[in-house]
Amino acid sequence: MTARQAAPQHDNQSLVVILTRLRMTLAAFLLCAVVRAAAAADAFVVEDIRLEGLQRITAGTVFNYLPIKVGDVVDGTRTAGAVRALFKTGFFRDVRLGRDGETLVVSVIERPSIDSIEFTGNDDLETDDLMSALERMGFAQGRVFNRSIFDQVKQELHRTYFAAGKYGAQVTGTVTPLERNRVAVKFRISEGVVAKIRQIHIVGNAAFDDDDLLDDFELDTTGFFSFISRSDRYSKPKLAADLETLRSFYLDKGFINFNIDSTQVSITPDKKDVYVTINITEGSRYLVRDVYLQGALIVPEEELFELVTIVQGDVFSRKRVTETARRIGSRLGNEGYSFANVNAAPEIDDAEKKVDLTFFVDPGKRVYVRRINFKGNTKTRDEVLRREMRQMEGGWMSTEAIERSRTRLNRLGFFESVDVETPAVPGASDQVDVDLTVIERPTGNLLLGAGYSDSQGTVFDISVTEENVLGTGNQLRVSFDTSKVNRDVSVSWLNPYWTVDGVSRGIDVYNRRTDASEANLADYDLDQIGAGVTFGIPISELTRVNAGLNAEQTDFIASSSASEEVKEFEEENGGEFITLLTTAAWAKDDRDSRFLPTRGSLTRLSGEIAVPGSDLTYYKLFARHQRFVPLAREFVFVLEGEVGYGSGFGGTTELPLIENFFAGGLRSVRGFKANTLGPRDSQGEPLGGNLKTVGTAEVILPLPFTKDSRTFRITSFFDMGNVYGPEEDFDFDTLRYSTGIAAVWVTPVGPLTMSIAKPVKTLRDDETQGFQLTFGTSFF
């Protein structure tokens, strides 16, 4: 057939298709017209609405969700939309709309309500915690029961147990119908055992072995402290954090192209063991070739380069790069450029394995402080807060000054918290206000209590203390303490701002009676009455000098059975003497807290001299240093040392017996009975000495059950020390050592301090004491 002959046949086929489509379109049009006509025929004006089937749901609730009102014209389309709207509420299992004359009839079948929810078999997870999780999903007592949410709840309970490391946990739920369209829901839980991490394996590491890489991981295999830390329980969020730790480790060691290729987590069929495999590509180590600073530097370039922690020839470290940017930004912030941007741009030379670092500095605008506002100080006077501020109104904003001001306010002890905000001033791009919000704590304290000390026995304490008298910041304390060792009545007053530039003045009056034999000392009694005044002078933000004068009358009473040394002292000096004592001290303290600090250091040098003309003339010198160094995983290393030395002069040949140094007990070398280290008298009782050396190395341990390190602390310690007499020289061989665990808890009625110690080195006649406790008051 030729092409010319085929053309008519093709045209006939096209015509047939066109006619077929026309017929289908016409049929659809006619069908729609019929449907519309039928709907129009069923349409009516609603004159009334009748509700049927309601039990718990109120009519008002239905009318609120029903999109049809009296007077509306209703047809099939409107009723279908109304049914969907009522179904969306989740209140109903079935919804039907009908017509009775001109009345719209709404018939519903309500979903049941949850009458009760019960858990059985949940030993590890508290019922209240599970209930809270269900409430967040909208599944709680009194709510409408929804089968789909019920299934989601079971899945959520499974996820909760998986997060706790119990991959074999089984959760079954039953729904029991009750009268009045209610149901009782019961979850039966078979918790199973906790799956433990048996192995964490890293594949692809050549530069470092697994132990080095896993040291900083939060996840770990089962160890001695795993039952406390729960580090051997697999957790997906913890693994993600550990992978970021691994990445940071390599980037801080110069491996710029380090990559984590994949991770596999597998669990054994019995759901008890978890194996984690991490596949990595280390890449090559890169060195820093050069470091540049660019941009508006504001401060001299030489000064900024002193802040750079990574220099030419160093191994590239992301941590040191970030620290450098932070330090430069902080330095600019001290000049008022609080919103400065410092960005590091590395240029990588893959051929030579070198990196050029450029820090781009954009200081932005200098920002000034318009006003400093205080909120929440209903008792404390505004001037008490303002004198602690190191950021001034009208000056440029200094991040260091603001943070130092917040720290000083915290250290007052008047506030539970101090929060700082720096909102921008409306309409000004270079001004901010500094808003400090404080929450005051009670500063007055009436204490009627009792306590116990391993060195004093039962202690009774009555004291009235007000740390913030009438909101002025002045301190007043009146106390009466009594124990088998001493009875102490004292009144003290401190004005921390006796002058406007921060010179403090303190006044003390006291009467103290001491039974030395009850404190594990030689057999004598002391009756002392005295008064003193002390001035504190600030030298710098962290350094202070104190100077004082104290007058004291002492009655010394040796018992009839006292040792020869005690009787000899009484014969030489008499039973009554008056001493005029001058004191001086220099201290530098940058700790983050005065009590239970976690970082910083304290250095204190002090001395006291009984001036010529006193019945006893002597001097005592003290040196103390304490340092806190944060370590990884919330561990803090503490190093502390103390040395004391004293001697007599003029008519007093050596340090008076009643001024001797002592060691042993909770305040020095733990594990040894209080005050028992050092020389002894002819009866074998501790006599004390004129040279004291004590050292302590401690590690503050993370708290397993609470994060509140402000009131509770556990430490592992190693103590060393001893006391030497006038005729003795310091000797390392005679130092005593002990190790153990200690705890401090600041309770509402006073600090509780305890230790469990084991002496490592003892000598003959040493008195050891494994458990030591002090509670409720200070000790002698």
Side-chain angles (χ1 to χ4, degrees), residues 602-763:
L602 167 67
T603 302
R604 180 179 174 84
L605 303 175
S606 61
E608 56 186 48
I609 301 176
V611 300
S614 302
D615 293 331
L616 297 176
T617 51
Y618 62 93
Y619 66 90
K620 297 173 74 173
L621 303 175
F622 307 86
R624 181 191 177 198
H625 181 73
Q626 186 181 52
R627 180 172 296 274
F628 296 81
V629 181
L631 305 175
R633 296 188 180 182
E634 299 182 8
F635 290 88
V636 179
F637 177 70
V638 185
L639 192 64
E640 183 173 2
E642 183 179 357
V643 176
Y645 176 79
S647 183
F649 66 90
T652 305
T653 58
E654 58 186 35
L655 185 68
L657 179 149
I658 60 174
E659 296 295 336
N660 275 348
F661 295 102
F662 299 92
L666 275 172
R667 301 188 69 182
S668 53
V669 186
R670 287 160 283 196
F672 293 87
K673 201 170 182 179
N675 305 323
T676 60
L677 294 181
R680 294 176 177 264
D681 62 18
S682 56
Q683 295 184 354
E685 298 294 337
L687 192 63
N690 70 324
L691 174 63
K692 173 184 177 180
T693 59
V694 173
T696 296
E698 288 186 281
V699 176
I700 300 175
L701 306 176
L703 301 178
F705 307 113
T706 178
K707 295 293 184 181
D708 190 3
S709 60
R710 295 172 299 177
T711 60
F712 189 76
R713 171 169 293 177
I714 297 177
T715 64
S716 175
F717 65 84
F718 180 83
D719 290 346
M720 59 180 292
N722 199 7
V723 172
Y724 302 89
E727 306 300 327
E728 298 177 321
D729 294 326
F730 173 79
D731 186 357
F732 277 105
D733 292 336
T734 62
L735 290 176
R736 310 306 201 273
Y737 304 93
S738 67
T739 185
I741 296 177
V744 179
W745 179 25
V746 183
T747 72
V749 294
L752 185 151
T753 305
M754 67 180 71
S755 71
I756 300 176
K758 179 177 179 55
V760 176
K761 179 181 180 181
T762 61
L763 298 179

Side-chain angles (χ1 to χ4, degrees), residues 200-447:
I200 302 177
H201 184 47
I202 299 177
V203 179
N205 52 310
F208 309 97
D209 58 31
D210 284 9
D211 290 339
D212 293 334
L213 300 178
L214 296 176
D215 275 347
D216 293 331
F217 271 37
E218 190 171 354
L219 294 179
D220 198 359
T221 54
T222 303
F224 184 76
F225 291 104
S226 296
F227 73 98
I228 297 177
S229 65
R230 299 190 174 185
S231 59
D232 59 348
R233 297 189 180 187
Y234 172 74
S235 167
K236 187 175 181 180
K238 287 183 179 180
L239 178 60
D242 286 341
L243 293 178
E244 184 57 34
T245 299
L246 180 63
R247 188 185 311 277
S248 298
F249 178 88
Y250 270 95
L251 290 178
D252 292 341
K253 297 294 188 295
F255 293 85
I256 293 179
N257 297 320
F258 170 79
N259 185 58
I260 298 176
D261 302 322
S262 63
T263 58
Q264 293 89 37
V265 180
S266 58
I267 186 170
T268 56
D270 60 4
K271 310 294 186 183
K272 294 182 178 180
D273 297 325
V274 175
Y275 292 83
V276 180
T277 303
I278 304 170
N279 299 284
I280 66 173
T281 299
E282 289 183 330
S284 301
R285 190 193 298 265
Y286 285 70
L287 302 179
V288 176
R289 182 161 52 196
D290 216 336
V291 179
Y292 305 95
L293 292 174
Q294 292 187 7
L297 304 183
I298 303 301
V299 298
E301 185 175 355
E302 297 78 11
E303 184 176 343
L304 291 183
F305 265 114
E306 292 179 0
L307 303 176
V308 176
T309 61
I310 185 168
V311 297
Q312 181 180 10
D314 286 351
V315 173
F316 175 83
S317 169
R318 184 178 69 172
K319 180 179 180 181
R320 293 167 68 183
V321 170
T322 303
E323 176 63 15
T324 297
R326 186 198 66 78
R327 294 176 67 177
I328 294 175
S330 178
R331 178 65 184 86
L332 296 177
N334 294 337
E335 297 296 325
Y337 299 91
S338 302
F339 305 110
N341 290 317
V342 181
N343 299 311
E347 293 185 14
I348 302 174
D349 186 342
D350 290 322
E352 296 188 13
K353 308 303 183 202
K354 297 289 181 64
V355 179
D356 291 330
L357 282 174
T358 302
F359 292 92
F360 292 93
V361 179
D362 178 15
K365 289 186 177 182
R366 175 172 275 180
V367 180
Y368 294 85
V369 174
R370 183 183 67 167
R371 295 193 186 95
I372 297 176
N373 305 308
F374 297 99
K375 300 177 182 178
N377 55 315
T378 57
K379 175 183 177 181
T380 306
R381 297 180 184 179
D382 197 70
E383 64 186 49
V384 174
L385 280 70
R386 290 192 179 275
R387 68 193 185 191
E388 302 297 333
M389 295 299 297
R390 294 302 177 259
Q391 172 67 60
M392 297 293 106
E393 290 182 340
W396 65 62
M397 176 181 172
S398 169
T399 52
E400 181 181 10
I402 291 176
E403 179 58 27
R404 185 60 192 167
S405 300
R406 189 187 70 85
T407 300
R408 290 181 66 90
L409 291 174
N410 262 322
R411 287 168 63 93
L412 288 175
F414 303 161
F415 312 111
E416 292 182 2
S417 64
V418 179
D419 296 321
V420 181
E421 294 180 343
T422 55
V425 175
S429 60
D430 61 347
Q431 293 186 44
V432 298
D433 288 337
V434 177
D435 296 336
L436 294 106
T437 302
V438 301
I439 299 178
E440 291 185 315
R441 70 171 183 85
T443 56
N445 182 25
L446 171 62
L447 179 62

Side-chain angles (χ1 to χ4, degrees), residues 44-63:
F44 70 101
V45 177
V46 178
E47 296 182 357
D48 193 13
I49 299 176
R50 186 170 73 242
L51 303 180
E52 296 180 352
L54 292 181
Q55 294 180 326
R56 295 176 296 99
I57 307 299
T58 63
T61 301
V62 177
F63 286 132

